[in-house]
């Protein structure tokens, strides 16, 4: 009798040309990832060669029961680290049968912004720092924390090692390797300030690819924590009180910012962001007001500020960028549960397309 793990690890490439494609999409809450699999006759590397597919939108909060069909449009392909071989993960967005993007499809508008000639000419680069918290299953309490109690105060946990300070490293490393296998441009990981909290970074990525890659990295993390029997939360302030929240700091540069004289371009872009502070805050994640208090390395949600090497500002410019006179800046306002399609495209629209 074969073991279940033997069957899960079966290599199909020697027995069939057929592959399994796992279609991934974002559900009605804007944060719930959904997926389902189908068999394809052979390997595929171009998303335009993949068939569209439908699902029951009434079961995801995206369509009424009497007209429930939603159509998945394949947009990006990644290698599947779970099934391996030629099997793939497919990031999709969602449309009505008539071809209109449904209201929760944030990718559609982002793609329009990134295809704007002015934006495309600037080749916007993104590096997104995705923070998250690992929770013990069924009790909604961070991994490594005593049940019903608290660990020692923050200080020893950031980038820590040791069984009394670092919780969940096996999950984090499994996720790191799964992202690299899949083709996500994950650039690093670290333990965060609150125990049980971690961060991974995706980037540099260009344009719409930033959103695709962050969503697939989130999908991989959800799948890995499922296997480990742990829950991941992207809540921006999972534990109230004197504990750090969770953000998704978004590093950004354009070609003009990366050239000599780019520092002046950065300053002009940051001044534009200041003028649209309220609009950006409204789109930067639900519950962000619980995180952006002016404490725990955040700026107050109602006040825009920026500075060089200032982690308590809304926007931070690196010391190296100031010294070189060119480079990038970091928007520290987005919450951990932000939609990367919304945030990346909005930053590009405000700093490149918008003329105050």
């Amino acid at each position: 009798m074969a073991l279940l793990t033997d069957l899960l690890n079966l290599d199909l490439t020697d027995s069939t040309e057929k592959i399994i494609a796992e279609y991934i999409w974002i559900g009605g809450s804007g944060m719930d990832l959904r997926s389902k699999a189908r068999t394809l006759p052979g390997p595929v590397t171009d998303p335009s060669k993949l068939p569209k597919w439908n699902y029951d939108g009434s079961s995801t909060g995206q369509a009424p029961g009497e007209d429930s069909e939603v159509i998945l449009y394949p947009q990006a392909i990644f290698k599947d680290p779970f099934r391996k071989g030629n099997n793939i993960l497919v990031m999709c967005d969602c449309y009505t049968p008539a071809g209109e993007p449904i209201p929760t499809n944030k990718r559609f508008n982002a793609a329009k912004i990134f295809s704007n000639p002015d934006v495309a000419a600037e080749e916007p680069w993104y590096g997104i720092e995705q923070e998250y918290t690992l929770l013990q299953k069924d009790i909604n309490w961070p991994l490594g924390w005593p049940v019903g109690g608290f660990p020692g105060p923050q200080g020893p946990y950031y980038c820590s090692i040791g069984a009394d300070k670092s919780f969940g490293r096996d999950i984090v490393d499994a996720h790191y390797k799964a992202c690299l296998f899949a083709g996500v441009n994950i650039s690093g990981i670290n333990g965060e300030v609150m125990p049980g909290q971690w961060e991974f970074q995706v980037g540099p990525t260009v344009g719409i690819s930033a959103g695709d890659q962050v969503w697939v990295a989130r999908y991989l993390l959800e799948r890995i924590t499922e296997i480990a029997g742990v829950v991941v939360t992207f809540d921006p302030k999972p534990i109230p009180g004197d504990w750090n929240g969770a953000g998704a700091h978004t590093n950004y540069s354009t070609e003009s910012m990366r050239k000599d004289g780019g520092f002046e371009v950065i300053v002009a872009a940051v001044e534009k962001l200041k003028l649209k502070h309220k609009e950006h805050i409204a789109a930067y994640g639900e519950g962000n007001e619980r995180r952006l208090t002016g404490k725990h390395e955040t700026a107050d949600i109602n006040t825009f500020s920026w500075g060089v090497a200032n982690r308590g500002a809304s926007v931070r410019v690196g010391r190296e960028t100031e010294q070189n006179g060119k480079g990038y800046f970091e928007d520290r306002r987005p919450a951990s549960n932000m939609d990367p399609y919304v945030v990346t495209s909005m930053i590009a629209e405000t700093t490149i397309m918008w003329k105050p």
Side-chain angles (χ1 to χ4, degrees), residues 132-151:
Y132 61 93
T133 307
L134 298 173
L135 304 177
Q136 302 169 58
K137 193 180 176 187
D138 300 327
I139 63 170
N140 208 38
W141 204 237
L143 201 65
W145 289 37
V147 176
F150 294 88

Side-chain angles (χ1 to χ4, degrees), residues 9 12 29 52 65 118 134 147 150-151 164 167 206 223-224 233 250 252 254-255 259 277 281 295 300 316 328:
N9 294 324
L12 301 176
S29 75
K52 294 172 184 174
D118 292 342
L134 298 173
V147 176
F150 294 88
D164 58 338
F167 312 109
V206 179
R223 287 283 305 274
I224 290 164
T233 179
T250 301
Y252 170 74
T254 62
E255 188 174 357
K259 289 180 176 177
H277 178 62
I281 285 294
K295 300 176 181 178
D300 179 78
R316 180 185 68 89
Y328 70 97

Side-chain angles (χ1 to χ4, degrees), residues 126-130 187 199-203 205 210-211 214 248-251 338 340 343-344:
Y126 297 91
I128 297 175
E129 304 171 33
Q130 176 68 71
S187 47
E199 173 184 301
F200 64 86
Q201 302 94 34
V202 172
T205 50
V214 169
H249 301 154
T250 301
N251 299 275
M338 63 83 159
V343 169
T344 56

Side-chain angles (χ1 to χ4, degrees), residues 42-330:
V44 184
T45 56
D46 181 352
S48 68
K49 299 289 197 301
L50 288 166
K52 294 172 184 174
W53 203 9
N54 66 70
Y55 68 91
D56 171 18
S58 69
S59 296
T60 62
Q62 293 173 295
E66 65 275 10
D67 186 14
S68 67
E69 199 166 282
V70 179
I71 312 301
L72 294 168
Y73 284 31
Q75 299 291 357
I77 291 175
F78 297 83
K79 292 167 66 180
D80 186 338
F82 305 108
R83 296 186 176 112
K84 299 188 275 292
N86 292 320
N87 303 300
I88 55 175
L89 305 174
V90 184
M91 191 66 211
C92 304
D93 61 351
C94 306
Y95 297 79
T96 68
E100 295 295 320
I102 65 172
T104 52
N105 181 351
K106 306 303 182 186
R107 190 186 192 280
F108 179 81
N109 188 59
K112 283 204 300 186
I113 290 169
F114 285 121
S115 63
N116 178 282
D118 292 342
V119 175
E122 282 287 359
E123 197 181 8
W125 290 7
Y126 297 91
I128 297 175
E129 304 171 33
Q130 176 68 71
E131 294 179 342
Y132 61 93
T133 307
L134 298 173
L135 304 177
Q136 302 169 58
K137 193 180 176 187
D138 300 327
I139 63 170
N140 208 38
W141 204 237
L143 201 65
W145 289 37
V147 176
F150 294 88
Q154 293 180 159
Y157 310 107
Y158 173 69
C159 296
S160 65
I161 58 171
D164 58 338
K165 297 181 286 294
S166 179
F167 312 109
R169 189 183 300 277
D170 53 348
I171 292 167
V172 173
D173 269 3
H175 176 251
Y176 197 168
K177 289 184 176 179
C179 284
L180 288 171
F181 182 94
V184 172
N185 192 26
I186 186 169
S187 47
I189 58 164
N190 60 268
E192 266 305 329
V193 177
M194 189 180 85
Q197 192 177 79
W198 293 82
E199 173 184 301
F200 64 86
Q201 302 94 34
V202 172
T205 50
V206 179
I208 196 70
S209 180
D212 290 337
Q213 293 195 35
V214 169
W215 275 116
V216 169
R218 286 174 172 177
Y219 173 84
L220 293 171
L221 184 58
E222 293 262 19
R223 287 283 305 274
I224 290 164
T225 52
E226 172 193 323
I227 294 166
V230 170
V231 174
V232 59
T233 179
F234 296 102
D235 188 284
K237 188 76 172 180
I239 305 295
D242 197 19
W243 304 96
N244 271 37
H249 301 154
T250 301
N251 299 275
Y252 170 74
S253 73
T254 62
E255 188 174 357
S256 298
M257 295 174 190
R258 297 187 290 268
K259 289 180 176 177
D260 290 342
F263 192 79
E264 287 73 24
V265 181
I266 289 171
V267 172
V270 171
E271 289 300 323
K272 282 186 174 184
L273 289 175
K274 179 180 181 179
L275 295 174
K276 285 212 166 187
H277 178 62
K278 286 185 178 178
E279 293 93 326
H280 280 255
I281 285 294
Y284 273 18
E286 191 174 340
N288 209 9
E289 72 282 350
R290 293 183 281 117
R291 168 181 160 260
L292 294 181
T293 61
K295 300 176 181 178
H296 305 110
E297 300 179 279
T298 70
D300 179 78
I301 194 168
N302 297 308
T303 308
F304 183 91
S305 60
W306 76 276
V308 175
N310 183 358
R311 282 183 160 75
S314 309
V315 170
R316 180 185 68 89
V317 176
R319 186 69 68 193
E320 187 178 21
T321 294
E322 181 189 45
Q323 290 169 349
N324 293 340
K326 59 185 176 181
Y328 70 97
F329 66 82
E330 174 193 39

